[in-house]
Amino acid sequence: AQSVTQLDSQVPVFEEAPVELRCNYSSSVSVYLFWYVQYPNQGLQLLLKYLSGSTLVESINGFEAEFNKSQTSFHLRKPSVHISDTAEYFCAVSDRFSGSARQLTFGSGTQLTVLP
Amino acid sequence: NAGVTQTPKFQVLKTGQSMTLQCAQDMNHNSMYWYRQDPGMGLRLIYYSASEGTTDKGEVPNGYNVSRLNKREFSLRLESAAPSQTSVYFCASSGEIWTEAFFGQGTRLTVV
């Protein structure tokens, strides 16, 4: 069975500064990887995903994440954050192949707060 | 396109009461899921339905039952609510099992 660790529960950062939200996973097989964003009192929205191919994936609002198989990581980065990026961010993983242990597993979340 | 619709949005129950959370999706997805979200614990899977006609337990199924009524609808029932079931409940769906999931807006349930 897979698991996901988000090392930082809270990340405060000043507007226009860079940010990295860390995500490490454990899994015995090849994986799909996702980042979701949750704004206050809303559901989760997919931010970006890695399914195959290029290990660097990007979102439409300037976030990017890099799949590092050797370090089993999928860290989320943005070079310059805005106030509107304030939200909770969840990393998720699922095994590529079927089996009784397969499911979409979420990390505990990282609250990103962008300060003026 | 509504996506995933959950009802109700808010609910307060007394201990021992029962209720059903409704979920419907209009994306013709095969797979549907129920998660609960608690502070500091992320999302935990309660039940899922890989396809119409099938349901399976997730990580925290105790105290819950589900029904996959048809391809569109997947309901979650609490037979005898307990304070430990106070949580935010999310329904989600995906075209293929365990791939990109689309979430509803959530149901905030308080059991007193």
Side-chain angles (χ1 to χ4, degrees):
Chain A
Q2 66 268 34
S3 65
V4 180
T5 301
Q6 291 183 245
L7 295 165
D8 305 301
S9 60
Q10 306 264 354
V11 174
V13 62
F14 287 106
E15 194 173 16
E16 297 184 4
V19 70
E20 178 180 81
L21 306 183
R22 295 180 291 170
C23 173
N24 287 89
Y25 68 92
S26 65
S27 176
S28 59
V29 296
S30 296
V31 295
Y32 297 127
L33 292 158
F34 307 88
W35 275 101
Y36 286 84
V37 58
Q38 184 181 33
Y39 299 103
N41 299 314
Q42 294 189 25
L44 280 72
Q45 304 171 32
L46 183 70
L47 187 60
L48 45 76
K49 60 187 176 185
Y50 169 77
L51 303 181
S52 64
S54 173
T55 57
L56 184 66
V57 290
E58 298 176 351
S59 72
I60 58 173
N61 58 352
F63 283 94
E64 64 178 31
E66 186 161 20
F67 169 49
N68 188 319
K69 188 174 182 179
S70 63
Q71 297 186 5
T72 60
S73 68
F74 191 54
H75 300 332
L76 182 69
R77 303 183 182 96
K78 189 171 186 180
S80 176
V81 294
H82 303 290
I83 297 287
S84 59
D85 293 325
T86 294
E88 190 154 22
Y89 292 79
F90 292 92
C91 182
V93 62
S94 71
D95 290 344
R96 285 178 175 270
F97 305 110
S98 61
S100 61
R102 188 177 180 214
Q103 64 173 274
L104 183 61
T105 301
F106 287 82
S108 56
T110 298
Q111 175 64 44
L112 172 65
T113 302
V114 180
L115 306 168
Chain B
N1 227 350
V4 179
T5 303
Q6 291 182 236
T7 56
K9 289 186 170 51
F10 302 94
Q11 184 72 47
V12 178
L13 289 179
K14 293 182 178 178
T15 298
Q17 286 186 317
S18 62
M19 79 162 295
T20 300
L21 281 64
Q22 306 287 352
C23 175
Q25 53 91 7
D26 62 3
M27 295 174 282
N28 200 35
H29 283 167
N30 290 317
S31 303
M32 298 185 73
Y33 317 85
W34 278 104
Y35 288 89
R36 60 177 289 173
Q37 183 180 30
D38 301 293
M41 302 188 74
L43 277 78
R44 292 182 293 169
L45 183 66
I46 305 171
Y47 270 93
Y48 68 97
S49 171
S51 60
E52 185 179 358
T54 68
T55 61
D56 285 286
K57 295 178 180 179
E59 181 184 355
V60 289
N62 291 344
Y64 306 94
N65 285 300
V66 290
S67 296
R68 183 76 183 264
L69 304 170
N70 48 55
K71 191 172 185 178
R72 291 186 65 247
E73 298 172 287
F74 189 40
S75 62
L76 178 72
R77 182 160 178 85
L78 287 71
E79 291 292 351
S80 179
S84 61
Q85 295 178 304
T86 294
S87 188
V88 181
Y89 291 85
F90 287 99
C91 178
S93 70
S94 64
E96 181 186 340
I97 187 76
W98 308 130
T99 58
E100 176 183 345
F102 294 80
F103 284 80
Q105 294 295 294
T107 296
R108 189 173 296 274
L109 175 67
T110 302
V111 183
V112 298

